[in-house]
Amino acid sequence: MRIDSSAGRTVGRDPELEQLNAALEGLAEGAAACITVEGEPGIGKTHLLTVFRRRAEEAGCLALAGSATEFERELPFGVWVDALDAYVASQELDLGEGWNAEVVEELSRVIPSVRPPSSSGPAMVADERYRSHRAVRRLLELLADERPLVVVLDDLHWSDEASIELLAGLLQRPPEAPVLLAIAFRTGRAPARLSTALAIPSVRRIRLAQLDDAQATELLGEVDPRAAEAMLRHAGGNPFYLEQLRRAREDGAVRGAPDAGADVAGVSVPTAVAASLANELASLPADELALLRSAAVAGEPFEPDLAGAIAELPPPDVLGLLDALLELDLVRPTTVPRQFAFRHPLVRRAVYESAPAGWRLAAHARAGEALAARGAGVADRAHHVEQYAGQGDEQAIGLLLEAGASVASRAPAAAARWYEAALALLPASDADRSVTVRTALASSLRSLGELERCRAALLEAIELLPPDAAARRVELTAHCAAVEHWLGRHDDAHRRLVRAWDELPEHATAEAAALEIELAVDGLYELDFEQAVDMGRQALATARAVGDAALVAAAAAALCLGETVSGRIEDARGHRREALEEIARLSDAELASRLEALVHLAWAETYLECYDDAVAHAEQGLSLARAFGEGRLVVPLTLAKNFPFEMQGRLSEARECCETALEVSRLSASPHELYRALFELGWTLYYAGDLDGAIAAHEESAQVDPRLAGGTIPNGGGGPGWGLGAAWVEAGEVERGRTLLLSLVGEDGARTMPVERCFDWETLTLASLALGDLGEADTFACRAEEDAGRLPLRLPTALAARARAAVLLAQGEPLEAARLARASAEHAGAIGARLQAAFSGGLEGRALVAAGERRQATGVLRKAEQELDACGSTRVRDELRRELRRLGARAEPRGPAAAGDSGVAALTRRELEIAGLVTDRMTNREIAAALFLSDKTVESHIRNVFHKLGVSSRVEIARAIERDRRERDAVRPT
């Protein structure tokens, strides 16, 4: 971080300082905030933030500062390391309570001074970078525990991608503590991701303008009026230019009229300023200039001994030369001992560019050698190696590849940079390694959401494959087709897969089976069920003939999904059994090679109403994805748990899945994954009763990329419009919702998956009833019954019965309506679809009220209300509470929950885990940090625990858990 020698003086910046001071005062409210300072180079951003930082310290805040630098923008989290690392290293922070080993492990990926108790924590793939962000958020909250925290981040226009992603994560989900982020960057130079991160209403913006003549004259101080006039003409109210010209005034460098300017560091500066910088450097003795140039190569801030080694100066001479540079104010001390920085970034760049090109190459080579001798990591050395290495330099290629691999999981943008640098050095004849590097590059680009570049890298890799590399060609072709599907280019993906299959010399091979699996899944994107099933069967037959167990498992799972969504349930159940048998025989490594099998199996099991199995297979897949670096499957596997959780009434866990998938998707900027995460979040919010949130999520999903609407699986064929229409109907915009649903579903439902159609028919039934059209409602209920009759499944039957019950109630047959609603609840309950059973119970209660069976209705409504409360479905729960109040009954129970749904045994696995942490006296915030959950999710789980245990305090939770542990210990065999 740079310290301005004139930091005590501010001229013409009182309004801006007042805004910064107001942000500082806002910390007293305990909330996090962000304020930006932007402007042209030299306008005074750093100076203003330095003054502000000192004021923050005087106000009793902990103020930390870091600066991004031009030549080190590839170092992951560089600006955050600069701001936090030295302070964290100097403190004895308590990383015990509220910090499990996993959180500390994640934090150590960002802050080098954090040392985890062991390095055996769970693996992280690039798609899970949010875990590190949550760990840093927890660190900031810890630092702000005793006094407000101000973090100043300067020159963010040069920041690395990982630092910007972290900032974006903190702005999306701010620390729950008084933390003020004050950041500065050049106007017009902010990277797109930084601009996007800052484009939220809560960020306050300050833009520094040039000083007027009176302010500029005041800043110059005692200067000859004629010289001052010339300086004002050249500097244009820019404080750095004024300072530089003031330094040069005695040399007569300031004369004549201003011209178009000269280029310094890619910035057009007045010719007089460029000349004064050149003259300042030209006046230096040779050794001082050599040390200064070497410091520019070393990085910023720099250490004298490294700069001296690059300059090849005798160590005893270095400190004396440094003193001379400090005296000339070319470099300045920082707050970190033995670290120094240039007076201004433009000065550093001018020094660097003044060095001969050949000298710079040799200097970077010496820098790399000196850092290696110090034991520096490959990421710290890669920048220098990139500068001097020539084509075919094996040592340099190896280091760049190692650097890429070392940061791929936490900073894929930096990894992509090093992979591309290595590719530039690879000999043209080394096609094998070029394929490997391009594949690694494609993986990093995919996790960044740069799907077009990812596709291009994969296509280049495919072109370089030798003719006999059939298996590798199929693997890369499948990955390329998947990327094309994610881009909404379904026709391109289909043609690519068909062409690859046609070009295979033999079709009785493992490669053919792999392509047939891809073609089966390809059919689902366009709801071409015949293709999905036919290719799935062909793939399974080929895999069986080949005798590859992993391929058999993958083919059986893909075929099972195709058969399930198209309504061929008995066939699907048979192929599920085959997939399960094959998976049980596979090692983790074998299964990881066909990990999509678990994605397809989990979704098939969701529709086959095997909810616990679907969740278990999704979690197994996530564990393998982390262990084997398959980040591309993190979002599909995470979202595969969402539907089962919704059906089981585990809405807080469902929302947790969606929030996690959203964090991943917003980081990667992948339109496909963002589309899916928002689509699933919309449904979770719909079931939870947050109709406004559901509508907003579905509308955003529809806006992500029009090419994806209706073209991603599984989505029922209607894309976000399906959920949007349902939410509009429930929110009272009935005609609007009905019209949208009919346009998506079609009169006969052919545009949707048969296994999901009953959801559509029920919603359309309710819409027609709300519009008073009993005839149309009866028609839709009949269609639900017809579709349910073709599916040997409980959930469609429950939905169809509930739709018919609603029609019967409207037709004045409440007792028959109550009977069908009760049957609906029984069907849903039999498969563990707790939420749907509760909805049906609510309808049964209303029907009984209409039939005059008040006593029976009260019991049914109370049970449904309790179930919905436990599930977190608030809107319908509140409706039932109002109904109970109209009946004169108390709606909300006191004391223990109903028998069968109470006690520790009734807790879900996540609720039990959180209850255990409550017993260990952890706060909600500490639990959230330990489990990588949001605070709101933890609060929701604890409310469920209160209800199920029939308690009202955390102490009572602890007592219940401890009692359960004692009872278990008592019956455990000795």
Side-chain angles (χ1 to χ4, degrees):
M1 59 198 115
R2 291 184 287 276
I3 301 300
D4 193 323
S5 62
S6 60
R9 293 185 65 207
T10 57
V11 175
R13 301 302 187 206
D14 289 344
E16 291 82 3
L17 273 173
E18 285 303 313
Q19 292 184 63
L20 287 166
N21 289 338
L24 192 62
E25 292 170 0
L27 289 179
E29 300 175 3
C34 178
I35 191 165
T36 72
V37 178
E38 53 191 291
E40 65 182 40
I43 202 66
K45 302 182 293 295
T46 299
H47 176 79
L48 185 66
L49 288 181
T50 301
V51 173
F52 171 65
R53 179 188 170 195
R54 292 184 176 178
R55 290 193 178 185
E57 290 173 335
E58 291 168 0
C61 298
L62 170 61
L64 305 174
S67 180
T69 54
E70 181 180 9
F71 298 150
E72 289 78 49
R73 65 177 71 183
E74 301 87 7
L75 295 178
F77 304 106
V79 69
W80 293 97
V81 172
D82 193 22
L84 302 176
D85 192 54
Y87 180 80
V88 170
S90 70
Q91 305 296 304
E92 294 184 2
L93 298 178
D94 180 8
L95 299 184
E97 186 179 359
W99 290 80
N100 66 11
E102 184 177 346
V103 180
V104 178
E105 177 81 22
E106 297 300 341
L107 188 60
S108 72
R109 301 178 195 272
V110 181
I111 308 299
S113 60
V114 173
R115 293 288 179 264
S118 69
S119 57
S120 58
M124 183 180 86
V125 292
D127 301 75
E128 294 186 300
R129 305 190 296 281
Y130 71 90
R131 290 162 56 185
S132 293
H133 301 173
R134 291 183 181 181
V136 173
R137 182 182 298 110
R138 179 70 187 98
L139 173 64
L140 297 182
E141 291 170 347
L142 175 64
L143 295 178
D145 264 353
E146 295 185 1
R147 51 181 171 152
L149 172 65
V150 173
V151 181
V152 173
L153 304 175
D154 200 4
D155 288 334
L156 263 289
H157 52 279
W158 281 327
S159 187
D160 62 281
E161 286 279 341
S163 289
I164 293 174
E165 285 186 346
L166 173 51
L167 174 64
L170 293 173
L171 293 178
Q172 285 288 333
R173 298 178 67 174
E176 295 194 355
V179 178
L180 174 62
L181 302 176
I183 67 176
F185 56 91
R186 287 184 187 174
T187 300
R189 292 290 300 277
R193 290 186 184 229
L194 178 59
S195 297
T196 300
L198 298 175
I200 55 177
S202 60
V203 175
R204 296 186 234 179
R205 309 288 285 265
I206 297 175
R207 182 162 183 170
L208 297 185
Q210 293 184 342
L211 302 178
D212 60 31
D213 284 351
Q215 293 165 341
T217 301
E218 180 184 353
L219 185 64
L220 284 173
E222 296 295 330
V223 177
D224 176 81
R226 298 180 68 179
E229 183 181 354
M231 284 187 272
L232 292 177
R233 286 202 311 273
H234 286 279
N238 184 295
F240 171 72
Y241 298 166
L242 287 166
E243 178 190 6
Q244 189 63 42
L245 294 175
R246 190 175 188 277
R247 290 173 181 276
R249 73 186 187 282
E250 294 179 357
D251 300 327
V254 183
R255 59 171 66 92
D259 57 17
D263 182 83
V264 175
V267 176
S268 179
V269 303
T271 301
V273 174
S276 72
L277 283 169
N279 290 341
E280 192 173 8
L281 300 180
S283 66
L284 293 176
D287 285 353
E288 291 178 16
L289 182 59
L291 182 62
L292 192 65
R293 284 173 169 170
S294 297
V297 168
E300 192 169 27
F302 67 89
E303 296 183 5
D305 51 349
L306 177 58
I310 297 170
E312 298 181 296
L313 292 168
D317 296 348
V318 171
L319 294 183
L321 295 169
L322 177 64
D323 285 339
L325 296 175
L326 288 166
E327 181 66 25
L328 293 168
D329 197 30
L330 282 163
V331 299
R332 294 169 178 172
T334 71
T335 56
V336 179
R338 295 190 60 79
Q339 289 190 0
F340 300 84
F342 282 80
R343 182 173 78 230
H344 193 278
L346 290 176
V347 174
R348 181 193 181 193
R349 186 56 185 254
V351 170
Y352 184 83
E353 291 180 344
S354 73
W359 180 91
R360 288 203 300 262
L361 289 176
H364 280 293
R366 292 192 294 273
E369 293 168 1
L371 287 169
R374 291 169 159 217
V378 289
D380 293 310
R381 295 151 54 198
H383 162 70
H384 298 289
V385 171
E386 181 190 22
Q387 298 300 314
Y388 70 76
Q391 192 170 46
D393 185 333
E394 284 298 325
Q395 187 175 8
I397 293 169
L399 185 140
L400 290 168
L401 292 178
E402 187 180 352
S406 72
V407 300
S409 67
R410 58 196 171 100
R417 167 69 181 270
W418 301 135
Y419 290 141
E420 289 178 320
L423 281 173
L425 301 180
L426 276 174
S429 60
D430 196 348
D432 288 346
R433 204 156 34 145
S434 182
V435 169
T436 301
V437 177
R438 280 182 165 81
T439 304
L441 171 62
S443 178
S444 291
L445 292 172
R446 182 207 54 76
S447 67
L448 289 168
E450 297 190 29
L451 297 184
E452 291 289 359
R453 290 180 62 199
C454 170
R455 176 178 178 270
L458 288 170
L459 290 175
E460 290 168 1
I462 292 169
E463 288 297 317
L464 290 169
L465 288 171
D468 60 348
R472 190 75 167 129
R473 179 172 287 102
V474 167
E475 177 188 0
L476 296 182
T477 298
H479 286 176
C480 189
V483 171
E484 288 171 334
H485 277 308
W486 297 338
L487 286 166
R489 297 166 62 167
H490 307 302
D491 290 342
D492 289 345
H494 178 74
R495 285 192 294 268
R496 184 173 309 286
L497 292 169
V498 170
R499 184 167 61 250
W501 191 79
D502 288 341
E503 291 173 354
L504 283 176
E506 295 182 55
H507 284 170
T509 62
E511 292 77 24
L515 277 174
E516 288 159 353
I517 292 170
E518 294 301 325
L519 283 164
V521 176
D522 173 76
L524 295 179
Y525 278 95
E526 294 295 332
L527 299 182
D528 187 341
F529 302 126
E530 291 304 318
Q531 176 186 320
V533 172
D534 289 347
M535 293 308 300
R537 288 173 177 165
Q538 195 166 321
L540 183 56
T542 306
R544 286 170 178 163
V546 171
D548 185 322
L551 266 176
V552 172
L559 176 56
C560 176
L561 177 59
E563 290 170 333
T564 299
V565 299
S566 60
R568 306 174 196 193
I569 304 304
E570 293 302 336
D571 291 341
R573 286 172 174 154
H575 290 122
R576 173 177 177 257
R577 286 192 293 271
E578 183 172 5
L580 289 173
E581 290 169 0
E582 296 298 332
I583 287 171
R585 298 191 184 104
L586 298 175
S587 67
D588 284 352
E590 290 170 329
L591 183 53
S593 70
R594 302 291 176 189
L595 200 51
E596 287 89 346
L598 290 176
V599 179
H600 301 148
L601 183 59
W603 272 106
E605 287 173 328
T606 291
Y607 292 126
L608 292 173
E609 304 170 348
C610 305
Y611 300 133
D612 286 336
D613 291 337
V615 171
H617 284 125
E619 290 181 345
Q620 181 186 9
L622 282 170
S623 178
L624 291 175
R626 291 171 185 137
F628 291 88
E630 288 289 353
R632 63 196 174 88
L633 297 178
V634 166
V635 169
L637 286 164
T638 299
L639 291 177
K641 297 186 289 183
N642 191 60
F643 193 138
F645 282 157
E646 288 173 345
M647 295 302 102
Q648 292 177 321
R650 298 160 67 178
L651 293 180
S652 59
E653 290 170 89
R655 184 162 185 169
E656 178 188 324
C657 288
C658 295
E659 289 177 347
T660 296
L662 266 180
E663 281 196 79
V664 173
S665 304
R666 293 196 191 281
L667 276 177
S668 69
S670 169
H672 170 264
E673 293 183 343
L674 181 58
Y675 169 93
R676 282 291 315 283
L678 287 165
F679 171 75
E680 296 295 346
L681 176 63
W683 275 110
T684 298
L685 295 175
Y686 170 85
Y687 284 126
D690 181 0
L691 296 181
D692 289 340
I695 290 168
H698 283 305
E699 286 179 339
E700 185 181 354
S701 181
Q703 293 165 4
V704 169
D705 190 335
R707 294 178 300 177
L708 299 175
T712 185
I713 56 171
N715 71 355
W722 176 33
L724 185 58
W728 276 343
V729 168
E730 293 296 327
E733 297 187 62
V734 181
E735 183 58 55
R736 187 182 185 189
R738 174 187 171 281
T739 301
L740 177 59
L741 285 170
L742 281 175
S743 71
L744 296 169
V745 175
E747 290 293 338
D748 57 359
R751 300 177 194 170
T752 59
M753 296 188 293
V755 76
E756 286 191 334
R757 281 179 195 157
C758 286
F759 284 101
D760 303 325
W761 298 137
E762 184 191 22
T763 301
L764 285 167
T765 298
L766 297 177
S768 298
L769 289 175
L771 294 171
D773 192 335
L774 287 177
E776 185 179 68
D778 179 72
T779 298
F780 289 134
C782 284
R783 288 179 182 165
E785 291 165 333
E786 290 166 3
D787 276 334
R790 288 189 282 266
L791 298 172
L793 293 169
R794 292 273 196 169
L795 185 59
T797 301
L799 297 173
R802 196 164 64 205
R804 175 56 63 191
V807 173
L808 288 169
L809 181 59
Q811 290 174 335
E813 299 183 45
L815 287 175
E816 182 61 13
R819 184 188 68 79
L820 279 178
R822 184 164 53 255
S824 172
E826 290 169 354
H827 282 295
I831 57 173
R834 184 182 186 187
L835 182 63
Q836 296 298 333
F839 287 155
S840 298
L843 179 57
E844 180 192 357
R846 291 192 185 99
L848 289 170
V849 170
E853 302 288 341
R854 294 173 61 89
R855 183 173 179 181
Q856 186 180 356
T858 299
V860 171
L861 288 171
R862 180 176 286 118
K863 180 181 177 182
E865 178 269 329
Q866 291 173 359
E867 283 288 278
L868 291 170
D869 185 52
C871 294
S873 182
T874 57
R875 185 180 63 84
V876 181
R877 177 205 66 190
D878 292 344
E879 289 177 358
L880 298 189
R881 285 180 177 176
R882 288 192 291 272
E883 188 71 41
L884 283 164
R885 283 195 291 271
R886 282 194 290 270
L887 293 173
R890 177 168 48 84
E892 299 165 58
R894 291 183 172 85
D901 292 311
S902 62
V904 174
L907 301 181
T908 66
R909 182 167 55 184
R910 178 66 92 185
E911 290 165 355
L912 185 60
E913 183 178 26
I914 288 174
L917 295 178
V918 169
T919 303
D920 294 337
R921 299 185 178 181
M922 290 175 65
T923 65
N924 284 13
R925 181 185 295 176
E926 290 164 349
I927 294 170
L931 300 181
F932 288 104
L933 305 177
S934 69
D935 288 349
K936 289 183 179 179
T937 298
V938 172
E939 290 170 5
S940 178
H941 282 306
I942 290 178
R943 283 198 302 270
N944 291 346
V945 172
F946 280 154
H947 174 73
K948 291 180 180 181
L949 298 184
V951 301
S952 58
S953 73
R954 299 170 78 90
V955 172
E956 291 176 292
I957 288 178
R959 288 173 181 165
I961 295 298
E962 289 168 349
R963 183 169 56 250
D964 181 72
R965 289 172 179 170
R966 288 194 300 271
E967 292 171 354
R968 289 176 183 274
D969 289 342
V971 300
R972 186 173 294 135
T974 58

